[in-house]
């Protein structure tokens, strides 16, 4: 069974540009979570999608947005990139809250560098 | 708002020692708690998940306990090995999932 897959693995952008990161959850998982992990810092919660809807978002500006598609894959969009957006972006998936085996499974991440 | 704290931030031990990592959280209304391991520059690997109705879970040399009412969990690692060197994170789940900052463990040969 395939795990959570993220693309691309690495990305280099310049300030002011826009970027789209992609995530495919494990088959059968309906929830997708996005986290930002800046160098040396902990995981900061960005967004949670379930069944195609945004369920919660962390304390990030509106230029961070995303969506979840009918097949439960997800995109994270970041507009007007700033230097401090440089980080590892991690996607995770799980079954819906309340179901058995609600473990969160992570992808390997997208390393974004903003120059 | 859920706050998750992990102590210590870093730990260095000689090989073979037993050790305990601590995790505390402010809102006890959680569905479950999960411990992860992260190697540098990589994603997270799930170690153990404890449902809110459970007190502990064991996997090999790892044992995790949960005291929901006091907002605390511990991860016990027995007979540590150099391959255990990594950052260990705990996360609590209500609707979304919130993480602590992690404990960076170094096991010296």
């Amino acid at each position: 069974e395939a795990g959570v897959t993220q693309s691309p693995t690495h990305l280099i952008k310049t300030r002011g540009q826009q970027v789209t990161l992609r995530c495919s959850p494990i088959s059968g998982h309906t929830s997708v979570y996005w986290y930002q992990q800046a160098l040396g810092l902990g995981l900061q919660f960005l967004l949670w999608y379930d069944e195609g809807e945004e369920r919660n978002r962390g304390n990030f500006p509106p230029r961070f947005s995303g969506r979840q598609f009918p097949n439960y894959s997800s995109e994270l969009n970041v507009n007007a990139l700033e230097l401090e957006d440089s980080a590892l972006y991690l996607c995770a998936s799980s079954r819906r809250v309340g179901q058995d085996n609600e473990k969160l499974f992570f992808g390997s991440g997208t390393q974004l560098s903003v120059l | 708002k859920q706050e998750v704290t992990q102590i210590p931030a870093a730990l260095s031990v000689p090989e073979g020692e037993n050790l305990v990592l601590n995790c505390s959280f402010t809102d006890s209304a959680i569905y479950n708690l999960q411990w992860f391991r992260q190697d540098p520059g990589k994603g997270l690997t799930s170690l153990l998940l404890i449902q809110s109705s459970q007190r502990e879970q064991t996997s090999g040399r790892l044992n995790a306990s949960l005291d929901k009412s006091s907002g605390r969990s511990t991860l016990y690692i027995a007979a540590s090995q150099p391959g255990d060197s990594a950052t260990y994170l705990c996360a609590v789940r209500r609707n979304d999932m919130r993480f602590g900052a992690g404990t960076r463990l170094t096991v010296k040969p």
Side-chain angles (χ1 to χ4, degrees), chain B residues 4-11 19-25 35 72-75 88-90 100-104:
Chain B
V4 183
T5 303
Q6 290 188 245
I7 294 172
L11 184 61
L19 56 100
V20 175
L21 308 181
N22 297 290
C23 172
S24 62
F25 46 96
W35 283 94
R72 277 188 267 206
S73 175
T74 62
L75 178 67
Y88 290 81
L89 299 114
C90 73
T103 294
R104 190 171 68 253

Side-chain angles (χ1 to χ4, degrees), chain A residues 33 35 37 45 48 56 88 90 94-95 97 102-104 106-108, chain B residues 31-32 34 36 38 42-44 46 49 93-99:
Chain A
Y33 301 78
Y35 293 89
Q37 188 176 37
F45 168 69
W48 171 36
N56 201 6
L88 181 66
L90 291 164
S94 78
R95 296 181 188 276
V97 168
E102 299 161 11
K103 276 187 180 180
L104 209 61
F106 278 82
S108 298
Chain B
Y31 288 133
N32 60 50
Q34 200 167 346
F36 294 86
Q38 186 178 29
K42 302 287 180 61
L44 278 68
S46 178
L49 178 141
R93 185 168 189 177
R94 172 64 181 175
N95 294 310
D96 55 38
M97 197 129 185
R98 300 292 171 132
F99 283 78

